[in-house]
Amino acid sequence: MSPSRPYAHVAADGVTRVFGSRRHNRLVAVDAVSVEIDSTSMIGIVGESGSGKSTLARLLVGLDRPTSGTVLYGGRGLDLLSRSAWKDFRREVQIVAQDTSSSFDPRRSLRDAVRLPAVQLCGLGTAEADARVDRTLELLGVPPALAQRRPGEVSGGQRQRFALARALVVEPRLLVCDEVVSALDVSVQGTILNLLKRYCRENEAGLVFVSHGLPATAFIADRLVVMHRGRIVEQGATTDLLDAPAHPYTAALLQAHHGRPPGGRRDAVLPDPARESWACRYAPSCPRAVDTCRTERPPLADHAGRTVACHVPVDAPLLAGAGAGGPR
Ligand SMILES: Nc1ncnc2c1ncn2[C@@H]1O[C@H](COP(=O)(O)OP(=O)(O)OP(=O)(O)O)[C@@H](O)[C@H]1O
Ligand SMILES: [Mg+2]
């Protein structure tokens, strides 16, 4: 914990978010997820498209409310925060949302957009706020003249930097970045990632980096949270997960990025619709599925220095005489 800046801690405790209704397209986007983030850690949330990463990110920063479960800030439920504690939360925990194109007022200059939270959340006067905006833009390598433009008059990459500036201008303790580099050229991606890393180190801020891109996430995050169909399937130190993934889904994700299966083995199979109703949501695509995966939802449990939700983790022997015809 930093002695100079207060510690910030946000925890999702058994959080579920359901969209639709029982009759209409009911979808459990986030399913009983517990995760902790704080101002001392760099965490990556990875998973394929639709796995619930953005929904979880929005829940963690209070932009959306869970259907059940609680999000806690400093140990208190977001619902129970006083007006001033809620204001502190909004200043200390910032998000750069996935789609920045619609998050700017098209009629106002980018400078106005970046200045607004400095005034509203930090209570700065105009001169102070302007100085803060200039410092933040300089830090992000944005030419000040660009800030006079409107959101529609700059490129996507430039707008992304303004979205970052708008989050950083209030000097948050925790920054949640949702797919902030996915749409950018690889060279620009590197610049932004290095910048974020440096910013967090120098300003004692924590980072939650949400992305379906494993290489960028692994570069920036010390710890990874792997999501699959709304659930956390594996969580641990980035190096541990990259060196020896324990959940078959993590292994498949890594293989997809390496382009070839390590050791020539293929760890994902074509989805089997007959397994859609199984308790483990990865079972339809899992080469290691056993009968227990049909009936029992695998709990997140300690395993090889990380937590894994799998009855048959990758480094565990396949269960002898497994049901459902045994592992495929
Ligand atoms: N407001 C909403 N109404 C209905 N369904 C939603 C809503 N927001 C998200 N979903 C659904 O919830 C699931 C999870 O979506 P989410 O955006 O969290 O996934 P993601 O992991 O961020 O995906 P991506 O990598 O494509 O950004 C998806 O099936 C999505 O269609
Ligand atoms: Mg998303």
Side-chain angles (χ1 to χ4, degrees):
M1 191 188 315
S2 151
S4 47
R5 297 193 70 195
Y7 176 70
H9 179 265
V10 176
D13 185 12
V15 162
T16 293
R17 178 64 165 102
V18 180
F19 291 115
S21 63
R22 210 162 278 282
R23 287 188 178 183
H24 291 288
N25 305 325
R26 184 176 187 274
L27 178 95
V28 185
V30 170
D31 191 358
V33 163
S34 295
V35 69
E36 291 184 46
I37 58 179
D38 71 15
S39 47
T40 65
S41 49
M42 307 280 277
I43 291 180
I45 302 182
V46 288
E48 66 202 16
S49 186
S51 54
K53 305 181 298 295
S54 296
T55 306
L56 177 61
R58 290 171 53 79
L59 291 167
L60 285 170
V61 303
L63 280 180
D64 190 12
R65 291 167 69 138
T67 310
S68 61
T70 322
V71 176
L72 303 148
Y73 166 58
R76 300 202 66 179
L78 292 189
D79 280 352
L80 303 175
L81 295 183
S82 65
R83 190 185 278 253
S84 76
W86 175 249
K87 194 171 170 188
D88 288 346
F89 173 75
R90 284 186 53 217
R91 189 184 64 244
E92 297 211 327
V93 184
Q94 287 285 313
I95 185 168
V96 182
Q98 183 161 1
D99 179 17
T100 53
S101 57
S102 59
S103 69
F104 286 98
D105 182 340
R107 293 159 303 176
R108 302 185 70 157
S109 74
L110 288 157
R111 169 172 279 278
D112 281 352
V114 177
R115 189 200 291 118
L116 196 64
V119 172
Q120 284 186 339
L121 295 177
C122 302
L124 299 181
T126 314
E128 270 178 312
D130 270 326
R132 183 83 77 85
V133 171
D134 288 336
R135 261 207 326 271
T136 311
L137 293 179
E138 189 185 340
L139 180 93
L140 293 172
V142 179
L146 221 52
Q148 305 310 326
R149 299 197 191 166
R150 286 160 207 243
E153 296 167 347
V154 298
S155 71
Q158 288 165 336
R159 200 163 45 238
Q160 192 64 275
R161 287 185 197 226
F162 280 101
L164 264 176
R166 187 174 52 181
L168 296 183
V169 77
V170 301
E171 299 180 347
R173 307 300 345 273
L174 254 168
L175 180 65
V176 179
C177 289
D178 191 357
E179 307 282 3
V180 288
V181 298
S182 312
L184 305 178
D185 290 348
V186 174
S187 59
V188 186
Q189 282 192 16
T191 311
I192 300 262
L193 290 173
N194 279 316
L195 220 145
L196 274 176
K197 217 171 186 173
R198 205 186 68 215
Y199 177 87
C200 290
R201 200 174 45 233
E202 289 177 359
N203 293 278
E204 299 160 4
L207 179 72
V208 180
F209 191 84
V210 179
S211 176
H212 59 261
L214 191 57
T217 315
F219 170 76
I220 203 160
D222 303 328
R223 296 181 64 74
L224 291 180
V225 172
V226 183
M227 287 189 74
H228 176 265
R229 296 179 74 181
R231 296 177 181 171
I232 293 178
V233 294
E234 184 164 4
Q235 185 171 180
T238 302
T239 45
D240 289 349
L241 267 62
L242 295 187
D243 289 349
H247 196 285
Y249 176 64
T250 316
L253 261 188
L254 277 172
Q255 286 179 10
H257 284 281
H258 286 143
R260 64 180 168 77
R265 274 194 53 218
R266 223 174 96 76
D267 280 350
V269 294
L270 285 176
D272 178 354
R275 294 182 178 180
E276 265 304 318
S277 60
W278 284 29
C280 173
R281 286 192 173 173
Y282 188 59
S285 301
C286 187
R288 300 174 64 82
V290 296
D291 206 31
T292 323
C293 312
R294 179 207 306 263
T295 50
E296 285 174 37
R297 173 176 172 164
L300 265 175
D302 291 341
H303 174 85
R306 79 288 302 265
T307 53
V308 186
C310 182
H311 294 302
V312 204
V314 171
D315 59 350
L318 291 172
L319 302 182
R328 286 184 293 176

